[in-house]
Amino acid sequence: MGSFSIWHWLIVLVIVMLVFGTKKLGNMGSDLGKAVKGFKDGVKGAEEEKKDQAIDVQAKEKDKSGN
């Protein structure tokens, strides 16, 4: 009762495909993939921006202490 067999999952998959249709499921999968890619790019961009800011701060501190 606690675990599902492969047959349970196949039946659920068939029911979902009948309700939504394969085209709509494909579109949802594509949209989900684009959203994940956009999120990863956003996180990567934020990390690069923080690194650039840290480098700028270090350069300014070095200029102040050097002069």
Side-chain angles (χ1 to χ4, degrees):
M1 184 174 180
S3 64
F4 291 104
S5 70
I6 189 71
W7 294 109
H8 290 102
W9 291 113
L10 287 175
I11 291 170
V12 170
L13 180 63
V14 168
I15 292 171
V16 167
M17 287 178 66
L18 288 173
V19 170
F20 292 108
T22 56
K23 187 174 182 179
K24 185 156 186 153
L25 287 175
N27 290 340
M28 288 187 334
S30 176
D31 292 342
L32 181 63
K34 288 177 185 176
V36 169
K37 185 178 181 205
F39 177 75
K40 285 183 180 180
D41 290 343
V43 169
K44 184 185 283 187
E47 289 175 357
E48 289 176 3
E49 186 176 311
K50 285 181 183 179
K51 287 180 186 177
D52 291 342
Q53 288 175 350
I55 291 170
D56 290 341
V57 169
Q58 290 173 351
K60 288 178 183 177
E61 289 176 356
K62 189 174 183 179
D63 287 343
K64 287 180 183 178
S65 64
N67 290 332

